[in-house]
Amino acid sequence: METTYSNNKFSKVPPQDGFRVAYILHLADNSLILGQRNAEWCGHGPVLEQDIAITNISLDLIGQARSFYQYAAQLINQHSPSPGGGRGEASEDSLAYLRTEREFKNCLLAEQPNGDWAQTMLRQFLYSTYQYYLYRFLQTNSDTTIAGIAEKSLKEVSYHLRWSSEWVIRLGDGTEESHKRMLRAVDELWSYTGELFIPAPYEKELSIDTAFLKDDWAKKVNTVFDEAALTVPSNVFMQEGGKTGTHTEHLGYILSDLQYLQRAYPGCDW
Amino acid sequence: MPVQNFEQIFQGKIDNEVKIEPKDWMPDAYRRTNIRQISQHAHSEVVGMLPEGNWITRAPSLKRKAILLAKVQDEAGHGLYLYSACETLGVSREETMNDLHSGKAKYSSIFNYPTLTWADIGAIGWLVDGAAIMNQVMLTRTSYGPYARAMVRICKEESFHQRQGFESLLVLSRGTEEQKAMCQDAINRWWWPALMMFGPKDSESTNSDQSMKWKIKRKSNDELRQNFVDMIAEQIKTLGMKLPDDKLKWNDERRHYDFGEINWDEFWQVVKGNGPCNKQRLDARKKAWEEGEWVREAAAAYARKKASPNPSKGGALEAA
Amino acid sequence: MNYIRKFYYGDIPEDKGGAEISDSKNPPSGGRGADWPLWEVFIRSKQGLDHKHAGSLHAADAQMAIENARDVYTRRMEGESIWVVESKYITASNPEEAGELYDPAKDKIYRHPSFYNLPDEVNLM
């Protein structure tokens, strides 16, 4: 079994909370990495209005990540006064900036490159659909902090879903060129959707069996694809590993950028 | 009515502080001056997203990342308000953008300098936005209504920009030796270009006289620059940093700070396109616009398809 | 120099370079090519108040115009309801006719309550 979730930095966290911390980090990493990817568009969007729109989504996602990291840090600190290897207490920033490639637990889908506007829109749509059903489910979680963050974020995610669905439809059913680009995006991203519904060990331990979200997800994706004149691919081999720290090569570069200052100037306030 | 009378009525409104609105008669030169100035201003906002955007993925904390994203996003909004103001004068956004991309239209030269370290982000907020605000506050009272209204909205949003910049430098100035050095270095590099933002000296400026008469501008370049120096020379004391000017000194007689001569050769070189990043900035804007074209086309095609009363056409793809 | 082309704020006639009129060459929505039409945005800042003109923006269709308006004009909680209308559908009065349109109201001071002097005891009327 993968053990990255009980990484030595958090060795004093007892197993049950260890799973919980791992899961919260998984949620946080998903939002952070996708937010970071979307942020790459800022200043480069196809039209000012949409530049502003995608940046709003990026801000929502980074906000969600911060809430989850803060909660994870709180749980870690309860058990261990100095989990950061002598660098003081865990914090949202120590968790985002000082973990390594193998410790990040985001889904592979979130870290895939922006590509063109079609690929970014499709990635957002596939992920927002997943996030929508997941947060709806988590709203009633027995962990009231997780439930609270999910409830607040659900409003944001509902908007992301609506916005990205419209773009997928517009581009899928727009011009010949946009349709072609959507097909390429589907080709590019589809193999990263399977992982969403294969529960990682920490999800199983917490009885968050994401497999049951698959039907709702597939239904929504089908409806939108239908309207977008796109076909849902079949018999695609599905990649996995992100949830347990085995990523695509892209993540290393994302973290090089993300963590550069914290790594170059350790222990500073910013 | 002869043009003569129109012009008298127009100048009468200006003199009585009555705003000029889009459909009012206005001299062609007034219209063109406004188009030039508003579009330059809009381009500056949008090109200005690039140097700061350069650090979004590398911001040193999640809080700073969110602040920077929100700030750069505001610049996009400001660009948008200003392009809209320009459209009330009869130029479409596309035309205005084309002038930027062809190099015909200018934008503020400050954005042709590179952001080399994280401290540059703070320095831009404090010095560049600080200098911009001086101009912008004046422009909330400019004579052309839509421009003035855009500026009111922009000024409301802009004050957070300067504050976050200063606060970010303050943290650095109280940090490690390396952080302090980073902070001072950024101030050294941004100070003079920030002073250049106010434009040529009054004695050299070609557009100022008429612009003042029409109340497009209400303070001269030199007046605004002096106000800025006076403000920053005080604020920097809190940072415990130095401005890179040996001649900077309080003049009790003038009740202003004296300061050294700006390197006008450098100023004109950057205006002419020879700044460190002129090409890079323009290329980035062109790339975004050109690569966005198929997106804009697809959305327009889809909207037409949906608006079309002929359902039999639905689903058919339009050739790009 | 082809500066003056379209006047979106209403009624400058086409022969003076005003807004083009919708016809088969100018479809009512979606613009042409990659050009998105201009929309005017009206925002109600809170329940109980009127919608007020906030500014304008570009969008391919009405739905997108609402969403863009949300992203552009309500980032700081400025609104809770949005109206959008394509700018070319706004008809505005002509400033050259301001005299005949608005001046006649100036001498009708009897329309204002302050015109009437009442005894103090009923002055809350």
Side-chain angles (χ1 to χ4, degrees):
Chain A
M1 192 173 88
E2 272 292 346
T3 52
T4 45
Y5 56 85
S6 60
N7 179 280
N8 57 5
K9 278 179 194 163
F10 315 130
S11 55
K12 297 212 177 83
V13 181
Q16 191 48 40
D17 269 3
F19 291 123
R20 199 141 59 104
V21 166
Y23 184 59
I24 298 163
L25 288 175
H26 158 72
L27 295 173
D29 293 345
N30 274 338
S31 293
L32 176 63
I33 298 299
L34 188 57
Q36 172 89 352
R37 274 298 193 207
N38 284 339
E40 293 171 18
W41 274 106
C42 184
H44 307 276
V47 66
L48 275 178
E49 285 83 348
Q50 298 301 328
D51 203 305
I52 293 171
I54 187 113
T55 303
N56 262 354
I57 292 182
S58 182
L59 278 169
D60 286 344
L61 289 168
I62 289 166
Q64 292 171 19
R66 291 181 69 185
S67 303
F68 283 125
Y69 283 133
Q70 284 162 11
Y71 183 40
Q74 186 194 326
L75 289 176
I76 291 165
N77 290 333
Q78 274 169 15
H79 298 292
S80 167
S82 183
R87 277 181 195 157
E89 293 207 320
S91 66
E92 59 174 61
D93 286 332
S94 79
L95 293 172
Y97 286 82
L98 299 176
R99 284 181 306 135
T100 64
E101 293 91 330
R102 301 280 280 129
E103 293 170 276
F104 267 74
K105 299 174 209 326
N106 59 282
C107 299
L108 301 174
L109 181 63
E111 70 200 38
Q112 295 313 302
N114 286 346
D116 58 11
W117 190 251
Q119 189 165 324
T120 299
M121 291 306 102
L122 183 67
R123 184 184 63 198
Q124 191 63 48
F125 167 66
L126 296 173
Y127 189 73
S128 291
T129 309
Y130 169 74
Q131 218 181 14
Y132 174 79
Y133 291 110
L134 178 65
Y135 283 0
R136 221 172 58 164
F137 169 69
L138 288 178
Q139 276 187 114
T140 55
N141 198 273
S142 57
D143 183 323
T144 51
T145 308
I146 293 181
I149 300 171
E151 189 188 353
K152 176 177 175 286
S153 307
L154 188 61
K155 287 182 195 154
E156 299 168 347
V157 172
S158 304
Y159 184 77
H160 304 170
L161 176 55
R162 160 177 154 178
W163 181 83
S164 58
S165 314
E166 285 166 7
W167 268 111
V168 167
I169 293 167
R170 221 176 253 138
L171 297 179
D173 191 22
T175 59
E176 253 172 63
E177 173 167 14
S178 69
H179 182 71
K180 240 187 270 170
R181 284 174 186 263
M182 279 309 297
L183 291 178
R184 196 160 64 210
V186 173
D187 201 38
E188 205 63 49
L189 296 177
W190 196 258
S191 65
Y192 301 108
T193 58
E195 183 192 27
L196 302 172
F197 310 103
I198 303 169
Y202 49 82
E203 288 175 301
K204 280 186 195 150
E205 289 291 335
L206 298 173
S207 308
I208 297 170
D209 181 2
T210 49
F212 82 94
L213 298 174
K214 193 172 182 180
D215 284 347
D216 282 337
W217 181 87
K219 214 156 118 196
K220 175 74 183 170
V221 170
N222 268 316
T223 313
V224 170
F225 270 34
D226 255 6
E227 213 180 321
L230 298 169
T231 318
V232 173
S234 50
N235 294 325
V236 175
F237 180 81
M238 291 296 181
Q239 302 292 337
E240 56 179 306
K243 285 180 174 184
T244 48
T246 309
H247 291 273
T248 56
E249 288 179 351
H250 303 297
L251 184 73
Y253 291 97
I254 295 177
L255 296 186
S256 305
D257 264 7
L258 181 88
Q259 300 181 339
Y260 152 67
L261 278 165
Q262 290 272 0
R263 299 283 187 189
Y265 303 91
C268 291
D269 282 332
W270 299 94
Chain B
M1 249 190 294
V3 171
Q4 186 70 32
N5 289 359
F6 278 125
E7 263 193 73
Q8 272 170 14
I9 296 170
F10 170 81
Q11 191 61 48
K13 280 189 198 161
I14 300 269
D15 295 342
N16 290 309
E17 301 290 335
V18 175
K19 296 279 185 242
I20 305 301
E21 292 297 342
K23 298 184 319 96
D24 291 347
W25 186 92
M26 60 187 88
D28 199 42
Y30 176 85
R31 181 188 302 278
R32 273 183 286 124
T33 305
N34 265 296
I35 289 173
R36 192 186 60 241
Q37 190 176 325
I38 301 171
S39 67
Q40 270 181 24
H41 196 158
H43 298 327
S44 301
E45 297 282 355
V46 171
V47 175
M49 296 170 76
L50 299 169
E52 292 180 278
N54 185 34
W55 280 89
I56 288 173
T57 58
R58 292 178 292 169
S61 72
L62 296 180
K63 184 183 89 178
R64 293 283 173 208
K65 190 187 291 289
I67 292 173
L68 183 56
L69 262 175
K71 193 205 158 189
V72 178
Q73 185 194 40
D74 272 354
E75 316 285 6
H78 298 173
L80 195 153
Y81 308 153
L82 289 163
Y83 284 125
S84 299
C86 225
E87 291 195 65
T88 65
L89 289 163
V91 262
S92 71
R93 171 137 22 125
E94 197 167 20
E95 286 170 299
T96 316
M97 289 278 202
N98 286 340
D99 284 349
L100 171 68
H101 300 152
S102 72
K104 200 168 120 195
K106 299 283 179 227
Y107 55 88
S108 181
S109 285
I110 191 88
F111 301 117
N112 292 318
Y113 290 87
T115 47
L116 301 179
T117 72
W118 168 252
D120 290 23
I121 300 307
I124 288 183
W126 179 44
L127 296 175
V128 176
D129 289 299
I133 290 170
M134 295 255 133
N135 241 313
Q136 288 164 344
V137 168
M138 168 189 79
L139 288 170
T140 57
R141 296 165 56 231
T142 191
S143 60
Y144 185 55
Y147 192 19
R149 289 192 287 276
M151 291 319 304
V152 168
R153 185 175 276 278
I154 288 172
C155 281
K156 260 191 219 157
E157 300 184 356
E158 193 86 28
S159 60
F160 120 72
H161 295 183
Q162 197 190 10
R163 292 171 70 105
Q164 65 83 31
F166 186 80
E167 190 246 7
S168 160
L169 290 184
L170 193 61
V171 172
L172 296 181
S173 74
R174 292 172 179 174
T176 63
E177 288 309 312
E178 278 173 312
Q179 285 177 304
K180 284 179 193 166
M182 192 190 274
C183 179
Q184 182 63 59
D185 168 60
I187 293 169
N188 291 349
R189 281 181 291 108
W190 289 96
W191 172 245
W192 291 106
L195 288 190
M196 294 177 197
M197 285 174 71
F198 296 96
K201 283 199 269 196
D202 293 350
S203 51
E204 317 254 319
S205 179
T206 47
N207 298 321
S208 276
D209 280 355
Q210 188 60 60
S211 290
M212 297 279 272
K213 189 177 160 227
W214 281 335
K215 295 186 183 167
I216 297 174
K217 293 177 89 170
R218 312 188 65 122
K219 284 185 177 178
S220 77
N221 292 353
D222 285 342
E223 258 180 282
L224 287 169
R225 186 162 23 232
Q226 182 70 59
N227 292 349
F228 178 68
V229 171
D230 292 347
M231 177 180 81
I232 298 297
E234 287 300 317
Q235 290 174 353
I236 197 161
K237 293 177 184 167
T238 312
L239 290 178
M241 297 280 145
K242 275 207 172 66
L243 291 173
D245 181 357
D246 300 338
K247 300 210 170 69
L248 187 83
K249 199 167 164 267
W250 175 253
N251 180 329
D252 216 24
E253 224 167 280
R254 290 203 310 126
R255 311 298 298 164
H256 286 297
Y257 276 90
D258 291 336
F259 55 99
E261 190 62 29
I262 288 167
N263 181 348
W264 293 109
D265 282 346
E266 178 181 324
F267 174 80
W268 289 114
Q269 283 302 332
V270 181
V271 170
K272 265 186 233 159
N274 297 322
C277 300
N278 290 58
K279 187 174 180 311
Q280 182 187 335
R281 300 287 184 245
L282 207 52
D283 285 351
R285 285 311 314 159
K286 277 196 263 190
K287 184 166 180 271
W289 186 250
E290 281 160 16
E291 289 182 358
E293 184 163 2
W294 71 268
V295 178
R296 299 191 300 274
E297 237 165 39
Y302 181 78
R304 278 196 296 275
K305 209 182 289 188
K306 288 288 134 178
S308 153
N310 182 358
S312 67
K313 274 185 151 182
L317 296 170
E318 251 187 69
Chain C
M1 200 161 40
N2 182 24
Y3 271 122
I4 303 158
R5 217 188 58 187
K6 291 178 192 168
F7 288 88
Y8 283 107
Y9 278 78
D11 63 352
I12 289 194
E14 208 174 345
D15 60 313
K16 286 192 195 162
E20 292 150 307
I21 294 163
S22 290
D23 57 23
S24 55
K25 277 185 293 177
N26 298 308
S29 284
R32 283 161 297 165
D35 232 354
W36 294 354
L38 189 68
W39 300 74
E40 298 304 320
V41 177
F42 300 83
I43 291 183
R44 162 183 280 159
S45 57
K46 72 179 211 218
Q47 202 84 19
L49 298 182
D50 288 324
H51 286 76
K52 200 178 149 206
H53 187 236
S56 44
L57 47 75
H58 287 268
D61 54 46
Q63 180 66 19
M64 193 202 276
I66 293 266
E67 290 169 12
N68 289 352
R70 175 255 192 199
D71 286 330
V72 172
Y73 290 106
T74 68
R75 294 199 303 286
R76 289 179 171 77
M77 302 179 293
E78 293 96 332
E80 54 100 74
S81 166
I82 298 172
W83 289 349
V84 293
V85 59
E86 231 186 290
S87 309
K88 66 181 177 193
Y89 293 124
I90 291 190
T91 307
S93 61
N94 185 342
E96 282 167 38
E97 293 160 4
E100 56 195 272
L101 287 175
Y102 313 115
D103 285 357
K106 280 184 186 160
D107 63 359
K108 314 280 190 304
I109 45 171
Y110 45 79
R111 288 192 197 274
H112 298 274
S114 56
F115 180 74
Y116 303 93
N117 283 322
L118 298 184
D120 283 349
E121 54 269 33
V122 290
N123 216 5
L124 289 175
M125 194 182 281

